[in-house]
Amino acid sequence: MIVTEDVGVAQREAWANKVLPPVEQVRDGLWSIPVPMPDNPLRYVLVYALALDDGLALIDVGWDHEQSWQALVDGIASIGYHISEVRYAAITHLHPDHFGLAPRLRQVSGATLAMHVADATLLGYHGPEQTRDDISGWNVQLSELGAPAEVLDASRVDLVRFAEHESIDVVLGDGDSLDLPGWNLRAQWTPGHTPGHLCFVEEDRGLLFSGDHMLPRISPNISTIPGELDNPLHRYLLSLEATTTLGECEVLPAHEYRFRGIADRARQLMGHHEERLAEIVVAVQAEPESTAWDLSRTISWSRPFDQMSPRLLRLAVRETHAHLVVLAKREIATPSGGTPVRWSLRAQ
C-alpha cells in the first residue's frame, strides 16, 4: 500500500480552495513563500527562504512578472528581511516559474546564482536570430509529431534568458555541497523534467527540496524538447529510482504542499508512467501508423484534450512522444521515417 503523509496542512487547504497559501515558517530559520504565477493553472511556486548570518538564501525565485516580484518582496519583508539581503539563490531548474526572477534579483541584491550546468547553458543570451532558430526547431519537431498548424503557430520559446555576457555564478553538480553557513545542503541531480534539474537534500534537518521532480499529487510533465534530453522519461525514471534510496525526510516541493513518504511517492510516480506506457501500447495496437498527436487525442489526461490551450497541447504531445521513445528503446514500438512520424508495434 502506498502511503504519503501531508504535513503542509495550510498549503494543502489553500491548494484545495484555489487560493494562495500563507507565508509559513517550516523550521527555525526556514520559510516557504508562495509566489503567484498569473494566468497559469499551477497558480504559484513555493520559494524557500533560508536564514544566513548576513541575510537569506533562496531556493528558486519565481515567475518573471510584476505581481510575482511584489509577492516575493513582500513575503521576504514579512519574515523580517529586505529583498536586498538575499545573498544566494539555488535554482532547481530552468523553467520560468523557478528561474524567471533571477536576473532581476541579482540586479537588486547582487545575489549569487547557482544551478546545474545542463540547464544553465540553455539560458545563455539569445538574440533575435537565435530565438527564431529555436522557434523553427520546435516547430519542425511538432510537425514530425503530427501536430496541426494552429499548435505550431502558437509555439514559442518562453524561457527567461541571461543578458549578453552574463551567466550563472556557481555551477552545481551531483553531490556538490552548497556553501551556505548553518546549512548542510547538497545537490542531487535528478534529470528528466529538465536536463539539469536539481533537488537539494538537507541532511541534518531531514529535508528534501524537490523542485518539480516530485510533487505530492501532480505528475510533472516529462517532454521531448529539441536540444535537451533525447530520452527524458528514461532519465526521469532513473532519477525516481535514485530518490527511493534517500532516507525518510520531509519533502518541500515547488508546488502544492509539503509531504512525507518519499520512497512511496517515487514508486507511485514510476507506476503511473508504466501504466501510461501500457495505455499507449494498447492505443498503438488499436491504430497502427498513428502519430504522437493521434495517440495524444486517444489516451487519458487530467482534463479533456480538446479543451487544452495550445501550450498544454504542446506539452501533451511531447509527453506522449517521451513515452513512445521509451517504448522504442524497449523494442516494443517502432517509428516510421518521414514527416509526420508514425508509430506501430514491433513484430514479435
Side-chain angles (χ1 to χ4, degrees):
M1 180 178 179
I2 295 174
V3 177
T4 59
E5 176 192 358
D6 303 336
V7 292
V9 176
Q11 292 174 343
R12 184 190 63 209
E13 290 178 351
W15 181 263
N17 293 326
K18 302 186 186 315
V19 297
L20 205 65
V23 175
E24 189 173 355
Q25 185 163 9
V26 179
R27 296 284 192 281
D28 289 343
L30 171 62
W31 299 266
S32 64
I33 299 174
V35 176
M37 301 161 57
D39 302 319
N40 189 293
L42 281 175
R43 301 204 306 273
Y44 59 85
V45 63
L46 292 168
V47 172
Y48 295 96
L50 293 70
L52 305 175
D53 292 341
D54 61 345
L56 287 176
L58 301 181
I59 294 179
D60 288 334
V61 294
W63 191 266
D64 183 24
H65 188 280
E66 191 60 37
Q67 182 181 342
S68 309
W69 174 255
Q70 196 58 53
L72 181 64
V73 170
D74 292 346
I76 286 173
S78 74
I79 63 174
Y81 293 85
H82 189 271
I83 190 70
S84 64
E85 295 179 276
V86 177
R87 306 296 180 228
Y88 189 102
I91 311 298
T92 60
H93 62 292
L94 58 80
H95 288 162
D97 50 328
H98 300 260
F99 173 83
L101 287 173
R104 185 170 181 178
L105 175 68
R106 181 159 64 181
Q107 183 178 35
V108 168
S109 71
T112 296
L113 302 180
M115 66 191 305
H116 192 278
V117 65
D119 279 9
T121 55
L122 295 170
L123 292 169
Y125 173 72
H126 275 212
E129 290 299 328
Q130 291 172 295
T131 301
R132 281 195 287 270
D133 288 345
D134 280 349
I135 294 172
S136 175
W138 283 32
N139 282 342
V140 167
Q141 183 220 25
L142 288 166
S143 296
E144 291 173 348
L145 300 184
E150 59 267 23
V151 175
L152 269 62
D153 292 343
S155 183
R156 64 184 180 85
V157 178
D158 58 2
L159 296 179
V160 176
R161 307 288 189 174
F162 284 113
E164 191 171 7
H165 308 307
E166 291 187 7
S167 186
I168 209 73
D169 301 302
V170 175
V171 172
L172 295 170
D174 189 38
D176 284 353
S177 295
L178 279 63
D179 185 18
L180 298 177
W183 297 89
N184 184 17
L185 277 167
R186 65 173 173 82
Q188 177 154 337
W189 185 35
T190 50
H193 185 56
T194 68
H197 191 288
L198 290 172
C199 295
F200 299 105
V201 183
E202 216 300 340
E203 306 279 5
D204 297 339
R205 294 169 174 84
L207 302 173
L208 174 71
F209 299 90
S210 66
D212 283 359
H213 172 64
M214 182 179 293
L215 307 173
R217 191 185 62 88
I218 298 171
S219 174
N221 179 262
I222 309 297
S223 293
T224 51
I225 303 294
E228 297 188 14
L229 296 170
D230 292 333
N231 194 343
L233 179 58
H234 174 67
R235 297 300 298 272
Y236 181 61
L237 293 172
L238 292 176
S239 295
L240 286 172
E241 182 64 39
T243 307
T244 65
T245 66
L246 294 173
E248 183 50 50
C249 56
E250 183 174 333
V251 183
L252 280 61
H255 304 285
E256 299 186 316
Y257 43 84
R258 306 192 309 279
F259 68 97
R260 290 185 180 274
I262 182 172
D264 282 340
R265 181 58 178 148
R267 294 188 188 101
Q268 189 178 53
L269 287 164
M270 288 188 281
H272 161 77
H273 285 289
E274 291 300 329
E275 291 172 3
R276 175 49 62 96
L277 288 164
E279 183 184 11
I280 291 174
V281 168
V282 170
V284 176
Q285 187 174 36
E287 295 290 340
E289 298 296 312
S290 290
T291 66
W293 178 264
D294 296 333
L295 296 167
S296 298
R297 294 183 63 88
T298 63
I299 60 179
S300 58
W301 300 98
S302 60
R303 67 190 68 195
F305 188 81
D306 59 4
Q307 294 180 20
M308 292 185 188
S309 67
R311 175 182 175 275
L312 290 179
L313 290 171
R314 294 194 296 274
L315 291 174
V317 71
R318 286 173 170 140
E319 181 161 317
T320 300
H321 185 239
H323 286 77
L324 288 165
V325 171
V326 167
L327 291 173
K329 182 180 178 63
R330 294 181 182 180
E331 299 186 344
I332 296 171
T334 183
S336 69
T339 299
V341 176
R342 299 183 179 277
W343 291 83
S344 298
L345 298 186
R346 291 178 68 96
Q348 299 299 315

